[in-house]
Amino acid sequence: MPEQPPRPTVEADPAGPRPTLESVAERAGVSRATASRVVNGGAGVREALRRKVEQAVEELGYVPNLAARTLVTRRNQAVAVVVAEPGSRLFSDPFFAQHLRGIGRELSAADNQMVLMMVEDQHDYERVGRYLAGGHVDGALLFSLHQPDPLPEMARRSGLPFVVGGRPGWPGAESDRDLVYVDSDNRGGARLAVGHLRALGRTAIATITGPLDQTSALDRLDGYRDVLPDGDPALVAEGDFTPDGGGRAMAELLARRPDLDAVFAASDAMASGALRVLREAGRRVPEDVAVVGFDDVESIAAWTEPPLSTVRQDIEEMGRLMARLLLRRLAEAGAGAPAGPPAAGPGRRAGGPTSVITPTRLVRRASA
């Protein structure tokens, strides 16, 4: 048979009527039901017919009806990302920007939408719970949880698969085989930071912790104590992962122990506040006081004065991993597998949750 000439591409007229599913079926030479199964992600269509329908969709500029697709696939192609922080914190802290960038890129690559939700105060939990239970999203990513936090139980009651950012700290979490979480090696990273300060010959090493209702802050404090098990309690001050909180804690430490010669701040944001207070107090960094942070947030550590030595965790990659694990759970559930943790998920502990713990490393700059 002579080779058929290519079919001309039909440009959709923006001012004209939108292409319909019927016009796609007619152009592809298939039934409406077959066209519907292809454009809405259904199964049971021969590959040759699927290619014809996909070509017709492209030529006509057809946009599938999302409501129809949801009915066929029982998927919304949307994921709730719930951050247990107020908007003022979320939009001012570059840590969250990097984390959300990782999540957003992974979801976008899988043609999923990110629905961002924040918790300003206790009243927001009811709103978030209603939304999660309302069938608007396929799953949820929860992070920056404070203890006790009702979000994991709310997600569980809604029946949604979910993944947690950060080591879970609620009762029973360590034996929950259905739980999936992503975290960095907070304790090991803190040991790196404090060990580095001690290797420099510093003898009065203080720490500014994060809020102790978060497991990341507790783990970094434990890492500090691993290296300095007999440390002076007066060298420990609690911050809140913000520059102002770091500044307040630094002033408190100087008042208690004016002889301190090093500080491990459990976040770069707090370290930046500590540097400001040290400068105002006339302390030279690192000559008088060496300072190490945690995170290696791209817009903080390299731009402080002096540039900040810090513990690097791959914040964006942690966001990607959270999204990737959730998408895997959704795919397994769609294929008829139990909606539990990924069967081959990394870090699986016998009798406990699936965990992915990313490594940390020390980045030396001028402050220590």
Side-chain angles (χ1 to χ4, degrees), residues 103 106-107 141 319-328:
I103 291 172
E106 197 69 23
L107 293 179
L141 300 172
R320 283 184 176 275
L321 285 168
M322 285 180 66
R324 199 174 300 153
L325 286 169
L326 180 62
L327 291 170
R328 191 188 304 177

Side-chain angles (χ1 to χ4, degrees), residues 33-34 36-38 40-46 50 72-73:
T34 297
S36 176
R37 284 198 297 273
V38 173
N40 292 314
V45 180
R46 296 198 309 274
R50 181 178 298 278
V72 172
T73 64

Side-chain angles (χ1 to χ4, degrees), residues 49 63 82 94 109 113 118 138 157 159 164 178 343 350:
L49 295 181
V63 178
V82 188
Q113 299 301 313
M118 294 158 285
D138 303 315
R157 286 200 308 266
V164 175
D178 290 330

Side-chain angles (χ1 to χ4, degrees), residues 69-124:
R69 173 176 286 183
T70 299
L71 287 173
V72 172
T73 64
R74 302 191 182 278
R75 288 279 303 275
N76 296 283
Q77 298 297 111
V79 168
V81 178
V82 188
V83 187
E85 300 288 353
S88 57
R89 171 88 195 283
L90 178 68
F91 295 115
S92 64
D93 190 334
F95 172 90
F96 293 111
Q98 286 182 237
H99 205 114
L100 290 171
R101 185 167 63 200
I103 291 172
R105 285 177 172 173
E106 197 69 23
L107 293 179
S108 294
D111 197 24
N112 277 254
Q113 299 301 313
M114 178 173 69
V115 180
L116 181 61
M117 308 187 76
M118 294 158 285
V119 177
E120 294 280 349
D121 55 41
Q122 290 297 316
H123 300 293
D124 284 325

Side-chain angles (χ1 to χ4, degrees), residues 20-22 25-26 30-40 62 68:
T20 64
L21 189 59
E22 287 77 8
E26 181 181 357
V30 300
S31 69
R32 186 187 187 282
T34 297
S36 176
R37 284 198 297 273
V38 173
V39 300
N40 292 314
Y62 175 75

